[in-house]
Structure formats: C-alpha cells, structure tokens
Amino acid sequence: MEFTLIKFIFIFGVLHSFIYLSFALGFSLVFGVAKIPYLSYAGLYTLSAYLMHLLLTKAGVPTIISAILSIGAVGGLSIVIGDYIVKPSMKNPLSIFISTMTVSYIVEEVFRIKMGLTPVALPALRGVITIAGVPVAQQWIAVLIIGAVSSFLVLIYLSKTATGKSIRAVAESWYESMIIGINPYKVFRVTMLIAGLLAGVASISLSPLKAVVPSMGWSPLFVSFAIVILGGMGSIKGTVVASFIYGFVEQFVTWKYGGAFASIVPLALIVLVLIFRPTGLFGEKE
C-alpha cells in the first residue's frame, strides 16, 4: 500500500474514530445500565441537527447558542423517553425495542413531512489545513476536538465522580447496587441525559460535513450497534477500543474500495462478531 494512502487512512481514521466514540459512548452507557438497545438514538441525532437549522434560519439565533439549545433539547427529550417509554417497559425488552425505534421513525416522518427530502446544511468552519501533506477541512478539526473533549469528559465523569461510579455499579448489577444504597432509577435518568447530550454533540459537530435529511440518524445508529457489539455490550473500555478499530477499518475500506462498500462495514462487523465472539472483545459471559 502506498505511503500517501496510509496517511489518508490514518488521519481520517483518527478523525472519524473520535466522533464515533462520543456517539457510541452514550449508546453503550444506556445498554450497560438498562440492558436495552436505545433505538431512539437515531431520532435524537436527526432532531438535534434540524433544531439547530430551524433556530438559525427561522429564529435568527447565533450559531453557538443554537448548538447549545439543540443539544440541551435532545438531552431533555432523552430523559422524557426514559421516564415515559423505557422505564414502564423495563421488563419487556421487545416492547422497548419497538417503542424506541418508533420514536425515531416519528421524528423522521415529521421532518419528512415538514421539511421534505431536500437536504439542508448547517454552517461549517471554512478553510483547509494540511496535516502531513494531507488536506483536511477545518470542520474536521472541530469534529476531532469536540469528539475528543466530550469523550474525555464523560470518561472522567464515570471514573472520578460519585454519580459516574454509581452508573458503573448499576451497569454491573442493579440488585447489588441497591444493596449498597444506590437508586438505579436515578442513575438511569442521568444515563439517559448523558446519552441524549452525546447524540446531540455528535450530530451538531458532524452534520455540517454531511447532508441533513430526515433519515440521517439511522447510519450512526448502525455504527453504534457495530461498535458496542464489537467492544462488548455495556463495556466502556470495549467501546473506546472498538471505536478506533471501526474508524480505521471503515476508512481503509473507503479509500481502498469506495464509500459504497464502507456502508456495509457496520453490518458485516455485527454479523462476524456475533458469529465468532458473541461477547465482543471485552464483554463477559452472563
């Protein structure tokens, strides 16, 4: 493989991996705490991008404030989904699977009806910088910084704060966490908030590089599925490692064989891991 191609794969692998990590962390946290696939994630991702677009174009709100309001809104909505959709059906995984997926479909259809299928765009940083001879749009640098900072803050929160340690304890066992005085349902609400905020952060930072369309949330959802399954369900360490594995594999396929083949990567990873290592890289057998 020629050296130039290796540089492209490495640089864009790093850039993609950090934003995938920030997105997949929220998905992994919900799975670890509630043991459910949080399919409303796709809708939250879509909603945050459209909210920012509407705040910018219809209300004239400045870019930074629009971004903060959009991220905060989907974080709050995530708590509502947890309280009124997930929590009442906690003992019925199939019901949660259907209802959370339905939320995403509702969001998609609402924007399909109201906004149509014509893509809209969010403002991106202008300009290009060169890294090791590889031209990189400045928006990608923003994606890298935002993804790295948000992921780092969440990991520090989980390891250094009392609530973060409670989240890890509940992920290990609801029953044992209650014995030591932790309220799993309060921890669950915090987890849903973090997940919603991370979905919003990922969407707001990445959407300026891609078309904002009603169905935009499904692709990141499948990526999160692939990363969490590869790393091990609910394993934070696994999510970190798998995000980088996925990012580099995807970029290798993209630059070597084209973007059409890269879209198959998450589905292929899910199937292969479930066949050969169902627990993932760092998952543990029940």
Side-chain angles (χ1 to χ4, degrees):
M1 187 186 303
E2 62 182 68
F3 184 63
T4 301
L5 181 58
I6 293 175
K7 289 194 296 184
F8 272 92
I9 292 172
F10 177 79
I11 291 172
F12 284 95
V14 170
L15 293 172
H16 281 79
S17 295
F18 272 106
I19 199 64
Y20 291 158
L21 173 58
S22 67
F23 189 79
L25 267 177
F27 191 86
S28 180
L29 284 174
V30 175
F31 198 98
V33 169
K35 304 299 185 288
I36 61 165
Y38 189 27
L39 302 187
S40 296
Y41 226 47
L44 296 177
Y45 185 91
T46 302
L47 179 60
S48 57
Y50 272 108
L51 280 179
M52 183 171 177
H53 170 72
L54 292 173
L55 286 171
L56 286 169
T57 58
K58 303 298 184 181
V61 179
T63 302
I64 298 298
I65 298 177
S66 295
I68 293 172
L69 291 176
S70 300
I71 293 169
V74 295
L77 178 59
S78 185
I79 295 177
V80 173
I81 293 171
D83 285 349
Y84 296 100
I85 295 178
V86 176
K87 192 185 295 183
S89 305
M90 196 72 82
K91 295 182 179 180
N92 188 346
L94 179 60
S95 175
I96 293 176
F97 185 94
I98 294 173
S99 58
T100 55
M101 182 170 62
T102 299
V103 170
S104 289
Y105 271 117
I106 290 173
V107 171
E108 179 180 347
E109 289 305 312
V110 166
F111 286 112
R112 192 187 304 276
I113 293 169
K114 296 294 184 181
M115 306 293 292
L117 297 177
T118 302
V120 300
L122 293 183
L125 294 177
R126 297 181 179 180
V128 175
I129 65 173
T130 301
I131 303 176
V134 176
V136 179
Q138 288 196 24
Q139 182 63 34
W140 270 117
I141 304 303
V143 167
L144 171 64
I145 295 172
I146 293 170
V149 170
S150 60
S151 300
F152 178 76
L153 289 176
V154 170
L155 293 174
I156 291 296
Y157 181 79
L158 292 174
S159 62
K160 300 298 184 181
T161 68
T163 305
K165 293 176 181 178
S166 296
I167 290 174
R168 292 162 55 199
V170 173
E172 288 291 328
S173 170
W174 277 52
Y175 177 72
E176 291 180 6
S177 65
M178 286 189 290
I179 291 177
I180 61 176
I182 297 173
N183 185 333
Y185 288 103
K186 288 185 178 180
V187 169
F188 172 68
R189 294 189 89 231
V190 175
T191 304
M192 294 297 286
L193 172 62
I194 294 173
L197 294 175
L198 288 174
V201 167
S203 177
I204 294 303
S205 59
L206 195 57
S207 292
L209 293 164
K210 301 177 180 293
V212 176
V213 295
S215 60
M216 63 184 286
W218 297 109
S219 179
L221 179 65
F222 281 124
V223 170
S224 292
F225 253 123
I227 289 172
V228 171
I229 290 174
L230 176 60
M233 297 293 193
S235 169
I236 300 302
K237 178 181 178 180
T239 299
V240 174
V241 174
S243 294
F244 284 88
I245 292 175
Y246 179 86
F248 284 111
V249 170
E250 180 203 47
Q251 288 307 299
F252 171 79
V253 174
T254 299
W255 290 99
K256 191 70 175 177
Y257 302 105
F261 286 96
S263 63
I264 303 173
V265 171
L267 299 176
L269 273 176
I270 290 172
V271 173
L272 290 173
V273 173
L274 289 177
I275 291 175
F276 296 105
R277 190 176 175 82
T279 58
L281 296 176
F282 297 95
E284 298 180 359
K285 294 182 178 180
E286 296 290 336

